[in-house]
Amino acid sequence: QVSPPPGFDRPRTSARPPRPAPAPALWAWALGMSTLYVEAGRVVDAVVHEKLGLKAALYRAPLGSDPRVVCKLAAATLGHRGALRKALVDCGLLVDRTSGAASSGTGEDDEEVRPAKRQKQIENVASVSGGAKAVREEGVALVMAYDLLAGQGLRGGGHLSRELKAHKAQLQVSYKEAEANAAAEASNRPGKGGTNADAFEDLPRYVRVNRLLLPSDSEAASLRNSLAKTLLKRAKDEAKESDNAEELSQVAADKLVPDLLVLHPRSKPWLQGLEDVDAGRLVLQDRSSCLAALAAGLTPGTFVLDACSAPGSKTAHAIELLLGRGRMIACEKDPRRATALVGRLQLISAMRPAGKGSARRGGVGGEAADGGAATALPAPAMWPGAKLRFRAGGVGVEVRVDDFLKCDPRKPPFCDVEVLLVDPSCSGSGLPEHRLADAAAGRAGVGVQRLRRLAAFQRLVLAHALRFPKARTVVYSTCSTHQAENEDVVSAVLAENPRPPFDVAEALPWWKNAAPDKASKKLPAWASMCIRCDPAEHRCRGFFLCRLDRRAGTFALAGAEGVAPLRRKKRRRPAKRKLAGDDAAAPGGAAASAQTPAKRGKKGGGLRIALGPRPGGASAAAGRPAAPSAVAAA
């Protein structure tokens, strides 16, 4: 089911191409240490020292751990980096080799780190006391310190793990003191620690019940009760004595999104390793992320295209809303993210290979023939141009490792797409992880130049989505709070000439937006029909969504407004050949024949046929000897 790229000669005995070899270990001392710490530490160092974004740092190298877990651990470490670094310095586990000075504990570097100074910054690393082996990357020490002091506890062995555990009491005292000082400075600093910053720190944890695996209401209710009991047990085991375990383990149904459960903010670490999460029955998905598929108005039998589908939460939710009938194309340009997308869909969607035959023959995943639980198989590695087809909950799914902008809307299967979900790359200003990464890297926010480049790319993607001839609905969304990436992009695309045959429609009638910011630019008249999630108002991540519906009577066919017409090649009729001997019947008779040279026939299979005027024809009349008809062997 996986189509190889052109020129790729795959052995007949192999069901799929081999997985790419993992990146070589950068830390010889990390043998026996959890791979999760190594990969999360690599992300932290890339964000802090190389000024990369969180997403770019996460997918720059193949990951052996779950990308979601690596991202969460790295983001949490970046959020407390200043206090963690100060605690390690105070305990003598982290020293500055160049100056010997401890970190200021503010979470910001004393001077801006430039790419040319990368090697010097790497040498400002942790040095374990007692003459032990030197830690070659600071990020791993910070990640392990966070997991020891504020996470689930250290996992895996290694010399650094033993040193951290030996200094745990001293680390806790220094860490709490640094956190308290940082909170006091933030509250007294003008312009910092506003409402949104406080809201990000206290966002609840949302989980969605996967109705592909639990279709009945009784199964969903049983899962909710089981989750509440599990959280209560973990709260009693891990929470402080002064905490109310009953309050920390509450599981409530969301009032706005169906099948969404709301948990206490402190329950996030207790969901890691939970059996229902690992089996795909519970999906870790924010409230704002569930709105795109709901706003699309999907019905059974709809043909949906997700333009930028990784990591796959919106794609899986859309597949669930198709209720077992329909078709889905998921496009993802990056092969590593496409591999993670397939693995996530395999976990969530109870998928099996398309077509007849055994599920294992496709090497993708399995769905029990008796309707039981699916048996997950390793997700195949993807490469540029690869296509993977399978069935998820009865819906035909096709994952393409391709650029959405290169999909020709005039050709099948794209010419039949009815609904498009467009969620292009954005600044991520509405995500707490990106805010933490910006703060750790010393960035005040998204730069003007980067914002312009992102907006230009988003306009290209949205304009291309509106060119699909049978598309009736296009849902454009971003996890950004900047107007330049949201309303301004939609306004610019709708103002193009010729104007696309789409208008902004009300996304979700029951959603109420927060009051617009007075400092923002004037919004268009249709802005009230869009969705704007505010962390303080809606208790979820920052998010924007706009639904565009095709105007009545403007279903585009070839040549319609905004769609380039299909140009069909005209078939030329073969010209009738006139024999030279037939010129007597032509107007002008012999005179015309006398001015026309004799024509030679086409070359045949070893024979040449010479055609000349008939005896007594125009040649004889002109006084020349007549050329008899001859057939000569070539």
Side-chain angles (χ1 to χ4, degrees):
Q1 296 296 330
V2 182
S3 305
F8 182 84
D9 297 327
R10 190 194 320 178
R12 294 185 178 182
T13 57
S14 176
R16 61 177 184 268
R19 291 176 176 270
L26 300 179
W27 305 275
W29 52 267
L31 296 177
M33 182 182 296
S34 173
T35 307
L36 175 64
Y37 295 143
V38 176
E39 294 173 340
R42 184 187 305 165
V43 173
V44 170
D45 283 314
V47 170
V48 174
H49 299 301
E50 300 182 29
K51 304 298 182 182
L52 293 181
L54 188 62
K55 185 185 297 184
L58 183 66
Y59 288 103
R60 69 182 306 186
L63 297 175
S65 306
D66 188 348
R68 295 171 297 167
V69 180
V70 175
C71 180
K72 294 291 184 184
L73 183 57
T77 304
L78 289 169
H80 302 273
R81 174 174 170 265
L84 292 170
R85 198 172 194 278
K86 188 176 185 305
L88 291 172
V89 169
D90 292 345
C91 294
L93 299 179
L94 186 67
V95 296
D96 192 337
R97 288 185 179 177
T98 57
S99 61
S103 170
S104 60
T106 59
E108 300 180 359
D109 296 330
D110 294 335
E111 60 175 342
E112 183 181 358
V113 183
R114 298 179 182 177
K117 298 183 179 180
R118 167 66 175 157
Q119 190 61 33
K120 284 188 177 181
Q121 280 292 350
I122 291 302
E123 293 177 359
N124 297 343
V125 294
S127 177
V128 181
S129 60
K133 298 178 181 180
V135 179
R136 299 187 183 144
E137 295 285 348
E138 179 182 323
V140 181
L142 294 173
V143 168
M144 296 182 69
Y146 171 80
D147 215 11
L148 175 67
L149 301 176
Q152 293 185 327
L154 285 176
R155 292 159 280 183
H159 185 82
L160 181 58
S161 175
R162 293 191 292 271
E163 289 288 340
L164 290 172
K165 290 179 180 178
H167 294 80
K168 182 178 180 180
Q170 188 179 356
L171 286 170
Q172 284 179 335
V173 174
S174 182
Y175 172 73
K176 292 180 179 179
E177 181 182 353
E179 284 281 275
N181 294 337
E185 291 179 6
S187 60
N188 297 329
R189 191 181 305 147
K192 301 287 183 180
T195 306
N196 279 350
D198 297 337
F200 274 122
E201 293 293 333
D202 199 29
L203 287 180
R205 172 75 264 189
Y206 294 95
V207 292
R208 180 171 59 84
V209 178
N210 186 5
R211 300 310 291 266
L212 290 175
L213 300 181
L214 302 173
S216 66
D217 294 338
S218 59
E219 291 175 323
S222 175
L223 176 64
R224 177 179 171 180
N225 296 333
S226 174
L227 176 62
K229 292 179 181 178
T230 303
L231 293 180
L232 179 61
K233 182 178 183 300
R234 295 197 175 185
K236 291 180 178 179
D237 294 340
E238 303 179 17
K240 303 176 182 178
E241 296 181 359
S242 59
D243 294 331
N244 187 350
E246 295 287 345
E247 181 181 354
L248 296 178
S249 62
Q250 283 185 353
V251 179
D254 190 70
K255 299 179 180 179
L256 300 177
V257 179
D259 299 321
L260 192 66
L261 303 178
V262 186
L263 311 181
H264 195 275
R266 291 180 56 184
S267 66
K268 294 179 183 180
W270 302 335
L271 295 174
Q272 296 181 10
L274 198 63
E275 181 183 358
D276 292 325
V277 175
D278 294 340
R281 292 185 288 270
L282 284 176
V283 182
L284 304 179
Q285 187 172 2
D286 190 71
R287 172 192 279 176
S288 60
S289 179
C290 301
L291 301 178
L294 292 175
L298 301 179
T299 56
T302 305
F303 190 176
V304 187
L305 188 148
D306 194 346
C308 313
S309 53
S313 298
K314 298 183 182 69
T315 309
H317 193 199
I319 293 173
E320 178 182 319
L321 295 180
L322 291 176
L323 302 179
R325 290 195 299 115
R327 188 175 177 185
M328 166 67 75
I329 293 181
C331 294
E332 177 52 50
K333 183 178 179 180
D334 187 85
R336 292 190 295 267
R337 301 193 71 200
T339 303
L341 166 67
V342 172
R344 186 161 176 79
L345 291 179
Q346 173 180 336
L347 174 68
I348 295 175
S349 302
M351 72 187 210
R352 56 185 172 85
K356 300 180 180 180
S358 171
R360 286 187 176 271
R361 192 187 310 167
V364 179
E367 185 175 10
D370 57 355
T375 302
L377 297 178
M382 307 293 284
W383 59 87
K387 302 175 185 177
L388 180 66
R389 298 183 180 92
F390 54 89
R391 302 199 69 83
V395 177
V397 181
E398 179 178 339
V399 177
R400 288 174 169 254
V401 187
D402 203 355
D403 188 354
F404 170 67
L405 294 175
K406 295 181 180 179
C407 299
D408 192 345
R410 303 169 299 176
K411 296 181 180 180
F414 307 110
C415 59
D416 296 323
V417 171
E418 299 172 288
V419 175
L420 288 97
L421 304 178
V422 181
D423 188 10
S425 299
C426 65
S427 62
S429 56
L431 301 178
E433 294 88 352
H434 284 261
R435 287 177 175 258
L436 295 173
D438 289 341
R443 294 188 293 261
V446 185
V448 177
Q449 294 298 328
R450 180 168 181 258
L451 204 59
R452 289 177 180 173
R453 290 195 298 268
L454 288 170
F457 170 73
Q458 292 155 359
R459 289 194 296 269
L460 286 177
V461 175
L462 180 57
H464 187 65
L466 299 183
R467 294 189 181 102
F468 282 67
K470 290 188 178 179
R472 65 169 185 263
T473 298
V474 175
V475 176
Y476 173 77
S477 62
T478 68
C479 50
S480 171
T481 57
H482 297 291
Q483 183 177 338
E485 298 180 88
N486 300 330
E487 291 90 352
D488 291 353
V489 169
V490 178
S491 298
V493 173
L494 293 182
E496 290 182 355
N497 188 19
R499 188 184 188 277
F502 285 83
D503 290 322
V504 177
E506 190 172 21
L508 293 173
W510 40 264
W511 184 270
K512 294 183 180 180
N513 289 328
D517 188 3
K518 297 180 180 179
S520 61
K521 297 190 301 183
K522 184 179 180 181
L523 296 175
W526 43 260
S528 59
M529 294 188 288
C530 302
I531 291 177
R532 262 193 174 276
C533 295
D534 182 76
E537 179 77 16
H538 301 107
R539 308 285 293 145
C540 62
R541 298 173 177 178
F543 188 75
F544 171 82
L545 184 145
C546 178
R547 169 173 169 165
L548 298 108
D549 287 351
R550 186 179 292 275
R551 291 196 296 272
T554 59
F555 266 89
L557 299 176
E561 182 183 7
V563 181
L566 288 171
R567 295 182 178 180
R568 297 182 179 179
K569 295 183 178 180
K570 295 183 178 180
R571 298 182 61 184
R572 295 183 178 181
R573 292 184 178 182
K576 294 183 178 179
R577 297 179 60 89
K578 182 186 291 186
L579 296 178
D582 295 341
D583 52 1
S593 177
Q595 299 175 1
T596 306
K599 297 182 179 180
R600 296 181 61 183
K602 294 183 178 180
K603 292 183 179 180
L607 298 177
R608 290 183 178 178
I609 302 176
L611 299 178
R614 294 177 181 177
S619 299
R624 297 191 302 270
S629 301
V631 179

